[in-house]
Amino acid sequence: METKYYLVDKHYPDKRILAEAAAILRRGGLVAFPTETVYGLGANGLDAQAAARIYAAKGRPSDNPLILHIADSGDVARLARRIPANAAALMARYWPGPLTIVFDRTDVVPDAVTGGLSTVAVRLPASTVARDLIRLAGVPVAAPSANTSGRPSPTTAQAVLADLSGRIDAVLDAGPCDIGVESTVVDCTTPVPTLLRPGGITLEMLLDTLGEVEVDPALAQSTARPRSPGMKYTHYAPAAPMTLVEGAGAAALVRRKVTEALAAGRRVGAVVSAETAALLPPAVVKAVYGPRGDAAAIAANLYQALRHFDTWPVDIIYAEGITESGLGLAVMNRLRKAAGYRILQA
């Protein structure tokens, strides 16, 4: 299969190009498209066979539910049996934006999209390209991240093509994504809304809106059946085994571990802040995710940093953790999964 490539403006996309991509979606094809979080791999969300093509292209387990993306907030009524008051409050404040809400689903949503669950995850993205594409397609678009399952999510069209060229029908390139980590996922079918996946809408923002939010224990580590996309045990993995170093002394411990590994004759990579990178030996392959303390910059650069080792092979990687406040919770969630929960406490 030849993957068609379309270059579009992030803010003023050519409607003729989007109409071609929308036609591909309507006939059951796969289109990778940008959102404000990461690039998504889209298919007709009401077509079970189209959803199955997503799983096949990504090599994704079929029990891992997909998010349905919509063009307007009113579209959720077709997909959700009811809209709880907590969900309505979140929709009013954070849609369009990087927030996915889990509802009890209607019968129109196929099992292939929900992983067999009785719930459905829905998002109204802020991206103009995404919303215009969905509106032209005339259907909700099921879209996980547009990468091979288990790999770092793509924040550029080039990263999409590196994983999926020849496996999908088309990709829309609108440049790098702004946020860089996937959407926050909140389950509003529970008595108290439950944070299933941290993202661009932080826990602090959710608490400010709702007053009370539970955090799902699976965020720490779980092999249970996923209630949300991105909750699988292995996810976001770079091309070599990675160990995450957490705690106030993380920078110093990373420096010591990479020095020891170099002395043992190993090719060593480091995913670190700009400040720590400046202290590491020249032989270390460094993927700098941004200045320490700037969680937004780190989130935006994180997946590109993890993909750095695709072109600069190493035997082992050490990653520097950050503070978990604000967007740092999402960053640390992704780093822990990328490391397969191999963690050193500094």
Side-chain angles (χ1 to χ4, degrees), residues 73-74 76 83-84 86-96 99 101 103:
S73 59
V76 74
I83 301 175
N86 284 325
L90 292 174
M91 291 164 60
R93 188 161 183 183
Y94 299 120
W95 275 10
L99 175 67
I101 302 174
F103 301 92

Side-chain angles (χ1 to χ4, degrees), residues 21 35 45 61 74 80 119 126 130 164 170 176 209 214 218 227 253 255 265 321 332 339-340 344:
T35 76
T119 54
L164 298 178
T209 302
E214 292 185 351
R227 295 165 59 195
L253 184 52
R255 187 179 182 185
M332 289 300 289
L344 294 176

Side-chain angles (χ1 to χ4, degrees), residues 130-158:
R131 289 204 314 277
D132 286 355
L133 173 66
I134 297 163
R135 193 172 289 114
L136 287 167
V139 293
V141 173
S145 55
N147 57 286
T148 303
S149 187
R151 295 270 290 133
S153 300
T155 55
T156 66
Q158 290 68 37

